[in-house]
Amino acid sequence: MKKLILILFILCAVQQIWAQEIAYVIPAPTSSSMGQGQFQLHAGLRIQSYTDFAGEIYFLQKELLRYQKLSSTIVENSQEAEIVLEKQKLNNGQLYELIITPNQITIQAESKEGAFYGIISLLQLANNSQNNSIACVNISDNPAYGWRGVMLDESRHFFGKEKVKSLLDWMAYYKLNRFHWHLTDEPGWRVEILNYPKLAEVGGVGNHSDKEAACQYYSQEDIKEIVAYASERHIVIIPEIDMPGHATAANRAYPEFSGGGSEKYPDFTFHPAKEGTYQYLTNILREVDALFPSQMIHVGGDEVSFGNHQWKTDAAVQQLMKTEKLADLKAVEDLFMRRMSDSILNMNNQVLVWDEMANAGLPKDNSIIFWWRHDQPKQLELGLKNGHKTVICPRLPLYFDFVQHPGHKVGRRWAGGFNQLENVYTFSVDQLPVSAKEYDLVLGFQANLWTETVDSVERFDFLLFPRLAAMAESVWSDKSQKDYADFLERLKPHLKQYQEAGLYYFNPFDVDEHPEPVMKK
């Protein structure tokens, strides 16, 4: 009898461990249920060849080798295969189903994207397994939102190709699919433009910490490599070329297109009344369009009033205002953006802008507004009222340059507010002035990492991890599934993965483990 009790106890304990493996998946899947037994990963795994999912299968092979150090073999016969990917239309709009039995792993999906996310869930189970034994489980899954984004500012501080690829890896691991790349601003211009080489060679000099820092930018070959890397991970890259403000780096290179600035923000704007400005910027955007296949270009439109002071006395601008009957400088901004949007639309791209442009008259069917000013909910309401598709990325709680713990000193706060892990996790559209009929205009959420205070990879990691995981679940999982205490439990093995990857992460369970990195200057 004692032996029987011991055996039952051991079986229950093992079953509990296997059940915990499901819980380690982030973001939490739509539904999951335990099966019986476990699947043993091993060297020489046989994966069925399937032409429609060939790229996804190749990704799975590489990742199994990378993380589990397990090789795999492609076979033609599904009866011989231990991992099978099937193209199938699923019930209830599910994106993928993952079915693990003791003898076979099956991923069913209608699209390449669905197959990829099924692979990601499998890889998370594998990474959190004991001795490569994965509990048998059935998972059905589907995201709450289509836009699950991260923005990285590399104008203010530049991190380079390998760090960007690492970020893309983690985005894919958490099923994030939009990388908004802020490549130009006051401190530096970070993308090579062949027709205007000084943009990178002159505009790429300096950063937010050091105006004399060595020139840093991405060549067009670098861009192509990173775009291909992201595409393999089902991540779309959206470039941002900021205008008509935040143009200081560009104006250092080509001052003839400067619209001046203010005492605090010199040469801050492009000139809105020179025809040459529009041709110059259109030529730049044509090269950008050729580099990024997303068919989306973000052109900023934010904070122009910081440095448009010289427009008040510029004769050409004043004449433009009279000719076009523009009441104020904001109307000049809006005209500028409408003209540039025409150029972008002629390239068959969508126009993406910050929320200052919510009422600028941009075409609602081909533009997306990014609502970032949490203290101005009326801008969100205005954009939605005007029928614009909208990405939600408010400073509180989705600006990851904000501090995340009351004891942290470096980074931003807003009226004392900051962005701790729980606030990121629990954020919901339900907290915003969005009516039921406007819900379909909300594309999703995006976390933004501005880098004025991020001058090292340690601070980069510290601010992103684990808030990236929390944001991923907030935008993927249905609100009925959200449970912060449960999320924290599932997060624990992910911290171990951060450690193994060499990330300098913030540990919410032991805030002293990794002290807050300070700025070098």
Side-chain angles (χ1 to χ4, degrees):
M1 178 61 75
K2 289 182 178 178
K3 287 185 178 179
L4 179 60
I5 292 172
L6 180 61
I7 290 169
L8 290 173
F9 176 79
I10 292 171
L11 287 174
C12 288
V14 170
Q15 192 73 14
Q16 185 177 17
I17 290 170
W18 292 344
Q20 286 174 345
E21 290 179 12
I22 304 174
Y24 293 153
V25 174
I26 296 175
T30 304
S31 67
S32 61
S33 60
M34 286 297 301
Q36 295 294 320
Q38 57 186 316
F39 180 93
Q40 183 66 48
L41 295 170
H42 60 85
L45 274 168
R46 299 184 300 276
I47 304 176
Q48 184 185 12
S49 173
Y50 192 84
T51 304
D52 284 3
F53 297 146
E56 289 68 34
I57 290 170
Y58 179 48
F59 177 83
L60 173 60
Q61 284 189 289
K62 290 190 296 182
E63 296 301 286
L64 286 172
L65 186 59
R66 179 181 181 184
Y67 291 109
Q68 271 65 48
K69 298 182 171 53
L70 296 177
S71 59
S72 54
T73 303
I74 301 297
V75 297
E76 298 295 330
N77 191 335
S78 63
Q79 299 302 313
E80 298 176 7
E82 296 165 285
I83 301 179
V84 176
L85 276 75
E86 297 177 347
K87 187 169 185 177
Q88 259 189 53
K89 187 173 181 63
L90 302 175
N91 295 327
N92 302 319
Q94 296 301 296
L95 194 59
Y96 73 88
E97 290 189 0
L98 171 62
I99 305 159
I100 302 177
T101 67
N103 298 316
Q104 194 172 71
I105 296 173
T106 303
I107 296 171
Q108 298 176 340
E110 187 175 3
S111 66
K112 293 176 182 291
E113 179 188 33
F116 180 79
Y117 291 136
I119 286 170
I120 290 297
S121 290
L122 172 59
L123 291 171
Q124 285 202 21
L125 291 172
N127 289 343
N128 293 315
S129 66
Q130 300 291 326
N131 301 316
N132 287 328
S133 292
I134 303 178
C136 292
V137 63
N138 293 347
I139 291 176
S140 294
D141 211 358
N142 196 50
Y145 294 98
W147 190 293
R148 305 179 301 278
V150 174
M151 188 223 72
L152 175 63
D153 163 24
E154 281 204 272
S155 173
R156 291 173 175 85
H157 286 104
F158 184 88
F159 296 94
K161 187 163 57 175
E162 294 311 310
K163 194 59 181 174
V164 168
K165 285 183 176 180
S166 172
L167 175 57
L168 293 170
D169 284 339
W170 286 106
M171 286 180 62
Y173 197 65
Y174 290 126
K175 302 185 177 84
L176 299 169
N177 66 350
R178 297 289 184 269
F179 179 50
H180 173 179
W181 207 357
H182 189 81
L183 289 165
T184 74
D185 211 303
E186 298 160 71
W189 183 284
R190 306 301 183 195
V191 55
E192 178 185 32
I193 302 297
L194 299 180
N195 282 297
Y196 301 97
K198 288 191 291 184
L199 282 171
E201 294 167 0
V202 176
V205 173
N207 58 43
H208 185 77
S209 299
D210 179 4
K211 293 181 179 180
E212 305 302 322
C215 184
Q216 291 180 302
Y217 63 90
Y218 291 101
S219 70
Q220 294 203 357
E221 292 306 308
D222 291 333
I223 296 288
K224 293 173 188 175
E225 181 182 337
I226 293 169
V227 166
Y229 193 86
S231 179
E232 184 183 33
R233 286 151 181 78
H234 288 267
I235 296 170
V236 174
I237 300 183
I238 300 97
E240 181 177 356
I241 307 298
D242 213 343
M243 59 182 75
H246 293 281
T248 312
N251 289 335
R252 288 201 306 268
Y254 294 95
E256 60 268 35
F257 301 111
S258 173
S262 63
E263 184 176 352
K264 187 176 180 181
Y265 299 98
D267 286 312
F268 188 74
T269 64
F270 291 116
H271 202 294
K274 289 183 178 178
E275 282 302 309
T277 301
Y278 296 97
Q279 188 62 58
Y280 164 66
L281 293 174
T282 298
N283 292 343
I284 290 169
L285 294 182
R286 283 179 180 145
E287 290 197 35
V288 171
D289 174 44
L291 291 171
F292 295 94
S294 61
Q295 298 306 109
M296 292 182 280
I297 299 176
H298 201 300
V299 285
D302 60 310
E303 300 177 331
V304 180
S305 62
F306 286 9
N308 63 1
H309 297 42
Q310 288 177 251
W311 293 4
K312 298 174 184 177
T313 56
D314 185 286
V317 174
Q318 292 303 306
Q319 183 58 50
L320 175 69
M321 294 178 70
K322 289 179 183 177
T323 302
E324 299 294 335
K325 298 181 172 58
L326 304 176
D328 51 30
L329 296 187
K330 180 63 172 69
V332 177
E333 289 176 38
D334 293 349
L335 175 66
F336 178 100
M337 295 301 280
R338 288 196 298 273
R339 287 199 58 176
M340 291 312 306
S341 75
D342 288 343
S343 293
I344 294 168
L345 293 175
N346 285 335
M347 300 172 205
N348 197 32
N349 277 249
Q350 291 189 76
V351 182
L352 280 56
V353 290
W354 298 109
D355 67 37
E356 285 91 335
M357 294 293 113
N359 205 30
L362 300 180
K364 66 179 183 180
D365 293 334
N366 291 294
S367 58
I368 299 174
I369 302 292
F370 286 64
W371 180 65
W372 65 279
R373 291 182 292 176
H374 72 282
D375 58 320
Q376 296 197 34
K378 289 193 177 300
Q379 287 300 110
L380 172 61
E381 295 178 73
L382 184 59
L384 294 171
K385 179 183 176 182
N386 289 335
H388 288 290
K389 297 183 290 291
T390 302
V391 173
I392 305 295
C393 53
R395 282 174 294 214
L396 297 179
L398 295 182
Y399 269 32
F400 283 5
D401 54 314
F402 276 56
V403 300
Q404 59 194 314
H405 184 269
H408 293 167
K409 306 299 183 186
V410 183
R412 298 172 65 191
R413 296 172 186 256
W414 187 273
F418 55 96
N419 294 336
Q420 55 190 346
L421 187 66
E422 184 173 4
N423 292 346
V424 174
Y425 182 83
T426 57
F427 181 64
S428 167
V429 172
D430 293 342
Q431 302 165 14
L432 304 175
V434 179
S435 68
K437 67 180 182 180
E438 294 167 338
Y439 260 65
D440 288 345
L441 291 173
V442 176
L443 300 181
F445 302 167
Q446 177 171 290
N448 294 340
L449 183 62
W450 300 100
T451 59
E452 288 95 335
T453 65
V454 189
D455 64 349
S456 67
V457 294
E458 289 79 15
R459 278 198 60 75
F460 183 105
D461 295 344
F462 190 78
L463 294 171
L464 279 175
F465 301 97
R467 287 191 289 188
L468 193 71
M471 199 281 290
E473 185 150 313
S474 75
V475 73
W476 177 283
S477 302
D478 186 83
K479 61 185 178 182
S480 64
Q481 297 170 273
K482 288 186 180 181
D483 183 325
Y484 183 61
D486 176 68
F487 168 76
L488 289 178
E489 284 302 310
R490 284 181 287 118
L491 181 64
K492 289 176 181 177
H494 288 251
L495 300 186
K496 181 181 178 183
Q497 292 174 50
Y498 300 160
Q499 189 75 31
E500 291 169 350
L503 299 178
Y504 191 89
Y505 61 94
F506 171 68
N507 185 347
F509 306 103
D510 180 3
V511 297
D512 296 323
E513 181 183 4
H514 294 141
E516 181 189 22
V518 298
M519 295 279 287
K520 294 175 183 176
K521 285 190 176 183

